[in-house]
């Protein structure tokens, strides 16, 4: 992700993330509940900040939401991506060809196996053909890295802030401004 | 992505190779590999491992954040911090 795009994504992510945490009322939660809430807020914020340029954000939001509208997203997905049935046709043709060497068959089987695993790791991957899956995986990896980067800076900054305010009694809102500046730049 | 499918609607081998090498460059320990199914398998395996490790990092950081937040809630500082960040 290039500079301005990365910065815009990180800022959007941070904003959505903090808004989501704020609305969660984490103060009333158990430790496990809060951990889950933070994790799902982070994922929802990443998907929201990414927007409509890929499939995985919608899949991620659909899997975390319990609203009835989420059941319709596979239909939206099939309109946007290549349908799996076209792949099955070419597979049938391959089966009718003369036998290949067993090492080649093993290699093919491994590729299929690995592709299947990758499908499970990319949100929405199950409905994509292998080429779209590779594109989605790339996009997903790039945004996962940005998510990790922002979360790390937020937790470092919050840790620093908590320690500083405890020791110095400094005004927390001023420290918070510094956090926002450090995290987004 | 700048690459587009050909007018026939199918994707060319060239585009696939470009896609694969772009993905390769994203992964840690990116090394030049030959083409072929053995390296495709390796690429897929490394992509899966990388995504898995990124997920783990997000988990760990979320845990760390939720611990920090509980500390701040006890000081009733968490809500104030979040409010002031969103105001700016």
């Amino acid at each position: 992700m290039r500079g301005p795009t990365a910065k815009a994504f990180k800022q959007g992510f941070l904003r959505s993330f903090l808004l989501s945490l704020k609305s969660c009322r984490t103060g009333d939660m158990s430790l496990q509940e809060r951990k889950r809430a933070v994790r799902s807020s982070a994922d929802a914020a990443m998907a929201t900040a990414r927007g409509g340029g890929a499939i995985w954000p919608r899949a991620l939001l659909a899997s975390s939401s319990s609203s009835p509208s989420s059941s319709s997203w596979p239909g939206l997905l099939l309109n946007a991506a290549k349908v799996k049935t076209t792949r099955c046709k070419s597979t049938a043709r391959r089966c009718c060809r003369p036998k290949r060497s067993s090492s080649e068959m093993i290699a093919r089987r491994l590729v299929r196996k690995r592709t299947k695993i990758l499908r499970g790791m990319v949100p929405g991957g199950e409905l994509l053909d292998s080429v779209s899956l590779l594109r989605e995986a790339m996009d997903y990896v790039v945004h996962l890295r940005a998510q990790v980067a922002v979360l790390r800076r937020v937790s470092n900054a919050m840790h620093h802030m908590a320690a500083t305010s405890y020791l110095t009694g400094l005004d927390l809102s001023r420290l918070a401004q510094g956090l926002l500046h450090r995290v987004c730049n | 992505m700048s690459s587009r499918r050909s007018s026939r609607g199918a994707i060319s081998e060239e585009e696939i190779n470009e896609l694969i090498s772009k993905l390769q460059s994203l992964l840690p320990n990116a090394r030049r590999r030959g083409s072929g199914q053995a390296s495709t398998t390796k690429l897929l395996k490394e992509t899966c491992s990388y995504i898995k490790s990124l997920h783990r990092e997000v988990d760990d950081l979320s845990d760390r954040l939720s611990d920090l937040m509980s500390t701040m809630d006890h000081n009733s500082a968490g809500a104030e911090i979040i409010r002031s960040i969103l105001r700016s």
Side-chain angles (χ1 to χ4, degrees):
Chain A
M1 249 196 313
R2 282 185 288 269
T5 320
K7 184 169 174 176
F9 171 75
K10 286 178 178 177
Q11 282 177 334
F13 168 72
L14 179 65
R15 199 157 283 262
S16 300
F17 180 53
L18 292 176
L19 271 169
S20 169
L21 287 179
K22 187 182 155 190
S23 67
C24 264
R25 304 193 147 275
T26 52
D28 301 331
M29 290 181 183
S30 73
L31 183 64
Q32 284 307 318
E33 281 172 336
R34 186 170 37 236
K35 283 182 177 178
R36 265 199 299 270
V38 172
R39 176 67 206 264
S40 66
S41 294
D43 281 343
M46 178 173 71
T48 307
R50 176 59 182 93
I55 302 292
W56 64 263
R58 272 175 277 172
L60 194 53
L61 285 171
S63 65
S64 58
S65 95
S66 51
S67 65
S69 61
S70 65
S71 58
S72 63
W73 79 264
L76 295 168
L77 182 63
L78 290 172
N79 287 335
K82 266 185 86 169
V83 181
K84 220 178 173 185
T85 49
T86 57
R87 263 185 0 127
C88 296
K89 277 188 207 163
S90 59
T91 309
R93 271 204 295 278
R94 267 209 297 276
C95 292
C96 299
R97 286 193 197 139
K99 266 194 181 164
R100 296 176 183 275
S101 71
S102 56
S103 61
E104 216 182 292
M105 276 172 57
I106 289 170
R108 276 181 192 276
R109 204 175 297 145
L110 277 172
V111 169
R112 268 202 299 273
K113 179 184 161 194
R114 292 282 166 205
T115 306
K116 189 177 172 188
I117 295 174
L118 182 61
R119 277 218 167 78
M121 308 208 65
V122 176
E126 303 83 19
L127 294 180
L128 297 174
D129 64 277
S130 13
V131 172
S132 303
L133 176 67
L134 285 181
R135 287 204 179 102
E136 283 289 311
M138 266 195 322
D139 194 83
Y140 186 49
V141 160
V142 159
H143 289 87
L144 271 176
R145 291 212 292 222
Q147 182 193 41
V148 164
V150 174
L151 287 176
R152 187 173 292 134
R153 286 167 108 172
V154 169
S155 80
N156 287 342
M158 264 197 193
H159 183 256
H160 174 80
M161 211 160 55
T164 307
S165 79
Y166 176 74
L167 292 171
T168 65
L170 263 177
D171 175 22
L172 278 167
S173 60
R174 219 146 13 110
L175 289 168
Q177 303 290 342
L179 181 159
L180 182 66
H181 185 77
R182 269 201 300 279
V183 164
C184 293
N185 294 318
Chain B
M1 290 238 345
S2 54
S3 62
R4 288 272 171 265
R5 297 176 177 220
S6 67
S7 54
R8 283 174 298 136
I11 189 165
S12 71
E13 177 137 1
E14 204 179 295
E15 283 167 328
I16 292 180
N17 288 332
E18 192 193 322
L19 199 58
I20 286 177
S21 68
K22 273 188 182 163
L23 184 55
Q24 186 74 63
S25 66
L26 273 183
L27 303 175
N29 308 318
R31 282 196 304 273
R32 270 178 52 89
R33 291 185 211 283
S35 60
Q37 289 183 1
S39 55
T40 305
T41 306
K42 266 212 165 112
L43 173 76
L44 290 170
K45 184 180 174 185
E46 283 179 12
T47 308
C48 291
S49 307
Y50 192 38
I51 292 179
K52 209 183 283 179
S53 77
L54 287 168
H55 282 164
R56 253 200 315 268
E57 272 195 89
V58 174
D59 265 333
D60 291 343
L61 286 165
S62 302
D63 283 354
R64 191 168 169 222
L65 266 172
S66 74
D67 287 342
L68 280 165
M69 282 166 60
S70 65
T71 317
M72 288 181 158
D73 281 340
H74 289 147
N75 303 334
S76 33
E80 189 196 326
I81 291 162
I82 289 172
R83 262 197 299 273
S84 59
I85 288 172
L86 291 169
R87 247 186 276 129
S88 60

